């Protein structure tokens, strides 16, 4: 009787190679599993299933983790306004944790002998998947054909061709990972320090050029409405905003960062909804949170984003930070006004009953209603007292 393996499957080049290799070379019964974190519609899932069946897998299943991914991860990325290196909304690194956890649970469910993924030996995903599997299914052996065999994309294509599976080499030039929080794009350009991805490498092309005003409604930090329409769950609102904004070719960029394994890496991404939501949410927070709340939250959000990126999501400190983020959001409710245009967007302003920028207390740069000029003189003298002493003692005579 053949031993079984659960393969984290996407339908791309790497996992297609794995499906053939695991069954024909290792003689394993392959159970392909795709975890949908909001990047695929029903038609796309059907196409991926056809690919899996054509590769000869024993079974194929799609696990829908979209709402769970939002509830357990994305929500806190919004609360923290998390942008890795002030650029990247952690589109892929965030969803990998949810995907790996779902695959680990499925592996336990069918009592598989092995679990496999298509990560290379030069990226972050190998660590993220391995870490989650080591924690949740420590007695299941992990198989990683691409990493173990040190394969190039050309070698993978040749292997598949030799086994009767013909891959379009032109399409295989770019590695695309799609989820609700953005789509990553990797190719030969991102292997350099200077080359930009060509426009056609991005999944969504510019088709809207007329400026459009959009009203976003947040309730306790979560996007709940767009242009007066309320949604049953924030995932529905995110998907609606992506559909609205992506045709403007908004949210394209290249992230440069330090990988978990100690090398520098570049990745392109397209994340219209994620970037708009983070910037709009941050604008609302700047009006509704205190100075110290904003300062401390920025610091903790940096750590939260870094640890998530590096596969440490299951450490209990992450649950502690999430409780803190949750506490900061109780007054982050209101409307944010955003303007969309070709390749760009801007946050125009906000409306909130919790807005701390109230003119009944004073108008910045003009007049105040709650203190006097004498109050400021006294405050300034006390505030600067120690600095004054320092400079008087240490001034050059």
């Amino acid at each position: 009787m053949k031993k079984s393996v659960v393969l984290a499957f996407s339908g791309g080049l790497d996992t297609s190679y794995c499906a053939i290799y695991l069954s024909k070379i290792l003689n394993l019964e392959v159970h392909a599993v795709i975890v949908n974190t909001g990047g695929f519609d029903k038609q796309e899932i059907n196409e991926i299933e056809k690919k899996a069946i054509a590769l000869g897998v024993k079974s194929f299943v799609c696990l829908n983790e979209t709402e769970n991914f939002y509830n357990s991860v994305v929500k806190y990325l919004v609360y923290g306004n998390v942008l890795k290196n002030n650029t990247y909304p952690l589109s892929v690194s965030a969803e990998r944790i949810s995907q790996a956890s779902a695959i680990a649970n499925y592996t336990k469910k069918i009592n598989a002998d092995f679990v496999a993924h298509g990560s290379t030996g030069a990226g972050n995903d190998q660590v993220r998947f391995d870490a989650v599997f080591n924690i949740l299914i420590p007695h299941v052996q992990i198989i990683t054909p691409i990493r173990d065999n040190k394969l190039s994309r050309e070698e993978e294509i040749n292997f598949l061709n030799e086994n009767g599976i013909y891959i379009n080499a032109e399409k295989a030039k770019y590695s695309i990972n799609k989820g609700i929080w953005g789509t990553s794009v990797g190719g030969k350009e991102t292997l350099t320090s200077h080359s930009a991805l060509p426009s056609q490498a991005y999944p969504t092309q510019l088709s809207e050029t007329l400026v459009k005003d959009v009203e976003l409604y947040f309730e306790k930090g979560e996007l709940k409405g767009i242009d007066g329409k309320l949604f049953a769950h924030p995932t529905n609102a995110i998907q609606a905003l992506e559909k609205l904004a992506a045709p403007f070719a908004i949210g394209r960029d290249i992230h440069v960062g330090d990988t978990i394994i100690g090398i520098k890496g570049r990745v392109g991404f397209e994340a219209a909804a994620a970037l708009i939501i983070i910037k709009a949410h941050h604008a609302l927070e700047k009006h509704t949170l205190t100075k110290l709340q904003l300062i401390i939250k920025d610091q903790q959000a940096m750590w939260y984003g870094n640890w998530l990126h590096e596969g440490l999501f299951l450490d209990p400190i992450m649950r502690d930070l999430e409780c803190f983020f949750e506490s900061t959001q109780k007054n982050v409710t209101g409307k944010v006004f955003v303007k969309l245009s070709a390749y760009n967007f801007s946050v125009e302003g906000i409306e909130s009953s919790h807005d701390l920028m109230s003119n009944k207390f004073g108008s910045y740069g003009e007049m105040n209603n709650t203190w006097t000029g004498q109050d400021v003189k006294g405050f300034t003298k006390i505030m600067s007292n120690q600095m004054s002493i320092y400079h008087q003692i240490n001034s050059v005579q």
Side-chain angles (χ1 to χ4, degrees), residues 168-356:
N168 186 319
E170 186 64 26
K171 289 185 177 179
K173 285 171 59 177
Y174 296 100
S175 175
I176 307 292
N177 291 281
K178 190 177 181 182
I180 195 173
W181 207 232
T183 300
S184 70
V185 184
K188 64 179 182 179
E189 294 86 359
T190 56
L191 298 177
T192 73
S193 296
H194 66 280
S195 298
L197 285 166
S199 179
Q200 62 268 25
Y202 292 96
T204 309
Q205 298 301 300
L206 178 68
S207 60
E208 291 283 355
T209 56
L210 297 178
V211 174
K212 182 176 180 60
D213 292 313
V214 179
E215 177 187 296
L216 304 181
Y217 172 68
F218 289 86
E219 186 177 300
K220 294 185 177 180
E222 297 185 84
L223 180 65
K224 294 291 185 72
I226 301 174
D227 290 335
K229 179 183 177 180
L230 296 179
F231 293 86
H233 191 270
T235 53
N236 305 124
I238 294 169
Q239 289 169 325
L241 181 58
E242 182 70 24
K243 185 176 180 179
L244 186 68
F248 288 90
I250 289 169
R252 295 177 175 184
D253 207 342
I254 292 183
H255 163 61
V256 182
D258 296 290
T259 66
I260 306 168
I261 55 177
I263 61 176
K264 297 282 186 182
R266 295 175 88 216
V267 64
F269 64 90
E270 174 183 283
L275 289 180
I276 292 170
I277 290 168
I278 287 173
K279 292 298 184 181
H281 174 265
H282 194 202
L284 185 58
E285 280 194 327
K286 286 188 282 189
H287 282 263
T288 57
L289 298 187
T290 67
K291 176 170 68 175
L292 291 183
Q293 281 182 303
L294 289 167
I295 290 172
I296 299 301
K297 196 168 74 66
D298 280 351
Q299 294 170 354
Q300 301 310 317
M302 181 195 70
W303 287 114
Y304 186 87
N306 284 342
W307 291 332
L308 172 61
H309 174 76
E310 297 190 356
L312 301 174
F313 181 75
L314 295 178
D315 191 289
I317 188 61
M318 301 294 275
R319 310 292 82 75
D320 300 331
L321 290 176
E322 287 161 3
C323 289
F324 167 71
F325 291 146
E326 196 95 42
S327 174
T328 65
Q329 299 302 296
K330 62 183 179 180
N331 293 328
V332 186
T333 295
K335 298 175 182 178
V336 183
F337 306 103
V338 178
K339 188 179 293 293
L340 309 180
S341 57
Y343 302 109
N344 198 14
F345 72 92
S346 60
V347 177
E348 304 292 287
I350 72 105
E351 280 184 8
S352 173
S353 58
H354 301 285
D355 189 356
L356 300 180

Side-chain angles (χ1 to χ4, degrees), residues 79-246:
Y79 290 171
N81 308 308
V82 174
L83 290 174
K84 180 73 172 172
N85 288 5
N86 297 314
T87 304
Y88 181 46
L90 298 183
S91 303
V92 172
S93 50
E95 68 182 24
R96 289 295 185 255
I97 301 301
S98 185
Q99 290 168 337
S101 299
I103 289 166
N105 291 331
Y106 187 77
T107 301
K108 286 191 288 186
K109 179 181 177 181
I110 70 168
N111 198 28
D113 300 291
F114 304 98
V115 65
H117 59 87
S119 301
T120 70
N124 292 319
D125 284 346
Q126 58 178 328
V127 177
R128 294 171 185 138
F129 275 106
D130 281 12
V132 171
F133 293 159
N134 286 332
I135 294 167
L136 298 183
I137 45 174
H139 304 300
V140 177
Q141 184 179 336
I142 304 167
I143 303 175
T144 53
I146 310 299
R147 174 174 64 184
D148 296 343
N149 295 328
K150 299 181 179 180
L151 299 173
S152 68
R153 295 179 72 79
E154 290 75 17
E155 289 173 313
E156 293 176 59
I157 292 171
N158 291 337
F159 175 82
L160 288 170
N161 289 344
E162 289 167 4
N163 283 275
I165 304 297
Y166 298 98
I167 300 291
N168 186 319
E170 186 64 26
K171 289 185 177 179
K173 285 171 59 177
Y174 296 100
S175 175
I176 307 292
N177 291 281
K178 190 177 181 182
I180 195 173
W181 207 232
T183 300
S184 70
V185 184
K188 64 179 182 179
E189 294 86 359
T190 56
L191 298 177
T192 73
S193 296
H194 66 280
S195 298
L197 285 166
S199 179
Q200 62 268 25
Y202 292 96
T204 309
Q205 298 301 300
L206 178 68
S207 60
E208 291 283 355
T209 56
L210 297 178
V211 174
K212 182 176 180 60
D213 292 313
V214 179
E215 177 187 296
L216 304 181
Y217 172 68
F218 289 86
E219 186 177 300
K220 294 185 177 180
E222 297 185 84
L223 180 65
K224 294 291 185 72
I226 301 174
D227 290 335
K229 179 183 177 180
L230 296 179
F231 293 86
H233 191 270
T235 53
N236 305 124
I238 294 169
Q239 289 169 325
L241 181 58
E242 182 70 24
K243 185 176 180 179
L244 186 68

